[in-house]
Amino acid sequence: MNSNACTNKVVLEKYLSLPQGPRVQATYIWIDGTGQGIRSKTKSLESKPSKVEDLPIWNYDGSSCYQAEGSNSDTYLHPVKIYPCPFRLGDNVLVLCEAFKYNKEPTLTNKRKACKEVMVKAKEFLPWFGIEQEYTLLDQDGHPFGWPKNGFPGPQGPYYCGVGANKVYGRDIVEAHYRCCLYAGIRISGTNAEVMPAQWEFQVGPTEGIDMGDDLWVARYLLERVAEDFGVVVSFDPKPMIGDWNGAGAHCNYSTKAMREKGGMEHIEKAIDKLSKHHIRHIKEYDPNEGKDNERRLTGAHETSSIHDFSSGVANRGCSIRIPREVSEQGYGYLEDRRPSSNCDPYSVTMVIVKTTCLEN
């Protein structure tokens, strides 16, 4: 780690323990113009907000976030959800925001507005989601965390759900992030070490409608902030290491009310049939570069399907859509779309799934 970037967190605690009086700190969080980068800044409020409407609209320099020209750079943050802040504690809050341009139109990477409209239209279907967010920990030089500097670890096999210093790297970050999510009220449901060393996964859900995108973006923010404290970089690249190493995805588990009830398999199969007819449209929505990122990952190897073909099967991790074996046996439940990349926008993913399976004939 660059010594110039290293600070003493014990010293910081002395200042964070100072009383802050009745005013609170609100950290505004938004998605930048890349569609995958997260930005934030903090403002003081006179008191703890009890609802989103208590929070003011704020602005920022969109030209420094790939979202505006320097000659017309004011871009606006509209608060949409409040979370308790696990870093500053007390009454301090995190504020998830939508970004809008000077003309009151959403920025190009503000997918939440359109997603919310779709979820309102599909409310009667009660769509539930659970996303399995994979990521890779890196040193600040871009090398996978814990890997030998002049070589590679042993081949894949002992690392998935592994235990021991020779099998997993960075568990402190994982544990800290898990607790931060719980504190913030995010519906995190689990975590595990993944197939490639230094690769991990956490799961968020089940959540309904727009909450999936909201919670996953804030969970990503928390992960990056926690890793920052440890001097480690988080990569959401879907294929961070070329060669015989697994990529990283964001498998999306999905169901409607009808799928979750007795006889739901019929509805699951109908949904899969609809998904099969719109494979290319979904691939374009499943990473921020319209499939270019996922092309490196969806090769048909390393537990993936081919990006060029649609497939489905029971308990088959080499398919586009997997039906869990217990779902097949009991006749109702959910499906797993294994195509979304680790750097996907969950608003885009959940929106296109609902549009295809619920809102279009």
Side-chain angles (χ1 to χ4, degrees):
M1 179 179 176
N2 185 341
S3 60
N4 292 329
C6 183
T7 60
N8 190 326
K9 301 302 186 292
V10 175
V11 175
L12 174 64
E13 285 301 316
K14 179 174 70 173
Y15 299 100
L16 290 182
S17 64
L18 293 171
Q20 65 183 70
R23 304 177 80 200
V24 300
Q25 292 171 282
T27 301
Y28 280 44
I29 302 165
W30 70 97
I31 302 160
D32 71 16
T34 67
Q36 50 191 315
I38 303 171
R39 308 292 180 113
S40 69
K41 65 176 185 173
T42 302
K43 74 180 297 132
S44 297
L45 303 175
E46 295 308 310
S47 60
K48 180 182 178 181
S50 60
K51 57 186 182 301
V52 169
E53 290 73 20
D54 294 338
L55 293 158
I57 294 172
W58 204 9
N59 66 72
Y60 66 97
D61 175 13
S63 68
S64 296
C65 298
Y66 316 112
Q67 290 170 303
E69 298 294 330
S71 59
N72 190 11
S73 64
D74 282 1
T75 311
Y76 297 89
L77 296 172
H78 291 234
V80 294
K81 195 161 291 187
I82 301 171
Y83 294 83
C85 180
F87 305 111
R88 295 186 173 115
L89 307 179
D91 288 339
N92 301 300
V93 294
L94 305 176
V95 181
L96 180 65
C97 300
E98 287 187 31
F100 287 82
K101 297 185 286 187
Y102 70 95
N103 58 3
K104 297 182 172 57
E105 291 294 317
T107 59
L108 293 177
T109 53
N110 175 2
K111 307 296 186 183
R112 187 186 188 277
K113 184 175 185 296
C115 182
K116 181 71 179 294
E117 292 169 358
V118 166
M119 295 305 170
V120 170
K121 290 178 182 177
K123 188 175 181 180
E124 65 183 282
F125 296 94
L126 299 179
W128 286 8
F129 305 93
I131 290 184
E132 306 166 29
Q133 176 67 70
E134 295 178 333
Y135 61 93
T136 307
L137 298 177
L138 308 176
D139 284 325
Q140 291 188 15
D141 61 5
H143 196 68
F145 186 70
W147 284 33
K149 290 299 183 185
N150 297 309
F152 298 90
Q156 295 184 154
Y159 310 111
Y160 172 71
C161 297
V163 178
N166 61 337
K167 298 182 184 70
V168 295
Y169 312 123
R171 193 184 294 275
D172 288 354
I173 295 168
V174 173
E175 292 294 332
H177 172 249
Y178 202 142
R179 191 58 60 92
C180 282
C181 286
L182 291 172
Y183 182 91
I186 290 169
R187 197 172 173 82
I188 187 169
S189 50
T191 189
N192 59 269
E194 266 302 333
V195 178
M196 187 181 82
Q199 185 185 69
W200 292 84
E201 172 185 304
F202 66 90
Q203 304 93 34
V204 174
T207 61
E208 186 176 327
I210 197 68
D211 289 340
M212 182 71 257
D214 291 348
D215 277 7
L216 190 64
W217 273 114
V218 175
R220 286 176 176 177
Y221 167 80
L222 294 176
L223 178 60
E224 298 231 44
R225 276 286 282 107
V226 167
E228 177 186 318
D229 280 349
F230 285 90
V232 174
V233 176
V234 176
S235 171
F236 293 109
D237 189 282
K239 187 68 175 178
M241 296 300 291
I242 60 173
D244 195 17
W245 304 103
N246 272 36
H251 305 155
C252 183
N253 300 280
Y254 166 67
S255 68
T256 60
K257 183 175 185 291
M259 294 180 193
R260 296 188 292 271
E261 295 177 341
K262 188 174 181 179
M265 183 56 68
E266 176 186 354
H267 298 278
I268 293 172
E269 290 171 348
K270 285 181 179 179
I272 292 173
D273 182 60
K274 290 180 180 180
L275 291 168
S276 72
K277 296 172 181 175
H278 296 282
H279 177 63
I280 294 176
R281 178 172 78 167
H282 280 251
I283 288 296
K284 287 184 176 180
E285 296 293 340
Y286 283 179
D287 77 48
N289 291 301
E290 298 188 335
K292 294 296 184 184
D293 292 341
N294 235 347
E295 195 171 22
R296 295 180 284 121
R297 166 182 162 258
L298 294 180
T299 62
H302 301 108
E303 300 181 72
T304 70
S305 60
S306 168
I307 195 170
H308 304 294
D309 303 304
F310 181 89
S311 57
S312 63
V314 175
N316 187 343
R317 284 176 163 76
C319 283
S320 308
I321 305 293
R322 180 180 74 95
I323 301 173
R325 187 171 302 283
E326 66 271 20
V327 172
S328 176
E329 291 175 349
Q330 69 189 12
Y332 61 90
Y334 65 98
L335 61 84
E336 177 193 34
D337 192 333
R338 297 179 60 80
R339 295 171 293 174
S341 68
S342 49
N343 63 343
C344 71
D345 186 331
Y347 295 129
S348 296
V349 171
T350 56
M351 176 169 58
V352 73
I353 289 176
V354 168
K355 286 171 72 173
T356 297
T357 61
C358 296
L359 301 182
E360 296 178 0
N361 293 324

